[in-house]
Amino acid sequence: MKLTFTAAQEAFRREAANWLEAQLSGLFADIRGITSQTQAAERRREWEKVLGAAGWSAIGWPCEYGGRDASLAEQVIFAEEYARARAPGRLGHMGVELAGPTILRFGSQAQKDRFLPKISSGEEMWCQGYSEPGAGSDLSNVRTRASLEAGQWIIEGQKIWTSLAQFADWCFLICRTQEGSKGRDGLSYLLVPMRQPGIDIKPIKQMTGESDFNEVFFDGARTCAENLVGQPGQGWQVAMGTLAFERGVSTLAQQMHFRNELDEIIAAAKSNGSAKDPLIRARIAKAWRGLETMRASALRMLSGAETGALAGPQFTYKIYWASWHRALGELAMDVLGQEGEIESSDGFFRDLPGMYLFSRSDTIYAGTNQIQRNLIAERALGLPKEPRGQA
């Protein structure tokens, strides 16, 4: 693992930084700094198309699908510069970081040709159909079903906590396609168009005032037989591949976003005088050390993935950053004091108070801390598996 970059890579950094600055101080200045998943959605959809046209949307992908064949180092650099420039949160995240890499790895050539160019160009947005009531942390307990009839999969069931479903054109969906199957057996991975009869999307209003998540009901929704990724019954393996991509290069952009938040906390502490409190200063120093540790661990994890080595941080990374970020939210509120308890005139909590409220979910989504501890114990340390009931 190297923590420094070559002269050529630093030149690439300048190219990326200059392009981002030109766009975000010009045509897209109005959405600079937006971290909300739902705010200014139409403008951010335009931003996705500009990123795609310039080849910056999915730079690690092959050129034939709209990428740049960028090296891992270049992907890391762009992720860092994107966050450093305070570019808006990616409305296309689910497609670029999850659906696209999954199709690249497991999809047919026809699926790659059909879906990848429209993801990288920002033409089509995606959402993830995994969690259900009663099947959140235990994904193998999904009950949404699909049956193949006359060349189409007919889908019945419900998904919940579906991020950005209200903006999505497509969903990658885990469902049960083998009658009577249980657990990990009999699951399939389907690509489903969202804008059709038989799909009902109901936003879930959060205490932040936003609706990042949704309930999605499938009542006779359809997708073509060729939109199955992998083979029938292999959905668990493909789904686990998708989850592995969540630990990808985007983690570096996430960390730069965290650094921006820490900088805001430090500025607030200096402004309101709480920086004079030795306990606050100690907590800020601890947060800074944690962020540096996180960066080193992420680079080690990514280097291990590139070489095929199974690096330890792969198992510990999610629980580490989720717990760290939750603590950062608590620090933000302690620094802000009563000021942080006041919502804006439109009913939204923004910036640091909004971050605090959202950070409460960090240790739940994408695998709860309890599930992460089981993975560390069983897969990394080789300890006996926890007794589980029958699905």
Side-chain angles (χ1 to χ4, degrees):
M1 179 186 67
K2 294 182 179 179
L3 297 179
T4 58
F5 296 95
T6 67
Q9 290 163 351
E10 290 298 343
F12 177 82
R13 183 187 297 278
R14 290 190 294 274
E15 177 191 356
N18 290 340
W19 186 88
L20 288 164
E21 181 60 32
Q23 298 297 320
L24 295 169
S25 61
L27 183 61
F28 291 98
D30 59 313
I31 59 173
R32 190 171 199 169
I34 289 179
T35 57
S36 160
Q37 291 201 70
T38 58
Q39 186 182 354
E42 288 307 313
R43 285 289 285 150
R44 287 163 57 219
R45 186 182 282 267
E46 294 174 22
W47 170 245
E48 291 290 334
K49 292 179 179 179
V50 169
L51 282 171
W56 292 115
S57 179
I59 66 171
W61 293 11
C63 294
E64 62 188 296
Y65 301 125
R68 292 188 174 215
D69 277 315
S71 66
L72 176 61
E74 290 171 335
Q75 293 175 59
V76 167
I77 287 169
F78 183 75
E80 291 183 336
E81 292 306 314
Y82 189 91
R84 197 191 312 276
R86 296 177 61 250
R90 295 289 304 272
L91 197 66
H93 169 80
M94 289 292 179
V96 171
E97 303 295 345
L98 299 179
T102 301
I103 294 170
L104 272 170
R105 171 66 179 83
F106 299 100
S108 66
Q109 187 59 53
Q111 289 169 346
K112 294 174 185 177
D113 293 339
R114 161 62 183 84
F115 292 108
L116 296 180
K118 292 192 176 184
I119 293 174
S120 64
S121 68
E123 184 176 345
E124 292 180 343
M125 300 294 111
W126 286 71
C127 64
Q128 179 182 41
Y130 274 24
S131 295
E132 300 180 5
S137 295
D138 185 8
L139 183 60
S140 65
N141 200 35
V142 298
R143 293 179 179 146
T144 295
R145 298 182 178 277
S147 57
L148 189 60
E149 301 176 15
Q152 290 193 318
W153 293 100
I154 313 300
I155 306 161
E156 305 282 346
Q158 177 187 359
K159 297 293 179 178
I160 197 167
W161 310 122
T162 308
S163 299
L164 304 177
Q166 68 269 52
F167 308 118
D169 303 293
W170 286 83
C171 176
F172 50 99
L173 181 79
I174 294 297
C175 56
R176 201 164 291 283
T177 55
Q178 182 179 332
E179 190 68 30
S181 64
K182 293 182 178 181
R184 302 175 182 182
D185 298 328
L187 298 174
S188 293
Y189 193 106
L190 300 179
L191 309 179
V192 181
M194 291 292 287
R195 303 178 187 277
Q196 61 164 305
I199 293 183
D200 186 17
I201 301 170
K202 295 186 176 181
I204 300 171
K205 188 171 183 179
Q206 303 152 221
M207 62 191 303
T208 60
E210 299 183 88
S211 295
D212 298 337
F213 310 109
N214 303 266
E215 291 181 282
V216 182
F217 297 87
F218 298 87
D219 183 12
R222 297 169 177 263
T223 193
C224 296
E226 57 264 30
N227 288 336
L228 170 75
V229 179
Q231 298 299 316
Q234 291 184 346
W236 180 263
Q237 293 89 334
V238 180
M240 292 304 100
T242 301
L243 291 177
F245 293 125
E246 284 190 316
R247 309 295 191 261
V249 173
S250 62
T251 57
L252 274 300
Q254 177 192 54
Q255 288 173 32
M256 285 303 303
H257 176 58
F258 290 166
R259 185 172 295 280
N260 291 341
E261 292 172 342
L262 180 57
D263 288 343
E264 289 183 43
I265 292 171
I266 294 171
K270 290 178 178 179
S271 175
N272 66 18
S274 60
K276 297 177 182 178
D277 184 335
L279 293 179
I280 292 292
R281 291 202 304 273
R283 289 170 66 187
I284 288 174
K286 182 179 180 181
W288 181 86
R289 291 196 306 270
L291 192 55
E292 291 298 302
T293 300
M294 200 185 305
R295 172 178 167 78
S297 295
L299 289 171
R300 182 183 171 202
M301 177 178 65
L302 291 169
S303 297
E306 187 178 43
T307 61
L310 191 61
Q314 177 179 343
F315 295 105
T316 60
Y317 184 76
K318 200 277 174 176
I319 191 173
Y320 184 91
W321 74 253
S323 301
W324 179 91
H325 196 229
R326 186 176 62 183
L328 188 74
E330 294 167 357
L331 172 60
M333 295 302 287
D334 289 342
V335 165
L336 293 174
Q338 291 184 341
E339 177 189 349
E341 299 176 10
I342 303 172
E343 68 181 10
S344 57
S345 59
D346 58 4
F348 288 85
F349 283 96
R350 294 204 176 120
D351 301 326
L352 293 179
M355 179 271 285
Y356 163 75
L357 291 171
F358 192 86
S359 71
R360 313 311 292 171
S361 68
D362 286 338
T363 55
I364 300 173
Y365 70 81
T368 66
N369 273 14
Q370 292 83 355
I371 293 296
Q372 297 302 314
R373 291 187 180 99
N374 281 348
L375 294 175
I376 293 168
E378 296 173 6
R379 299 186 187 181
L381 301 178
L383 297 178
K385 291 189 176 183
E386 180 184 46
R388 292 175 171 85
Q390 295 296 317

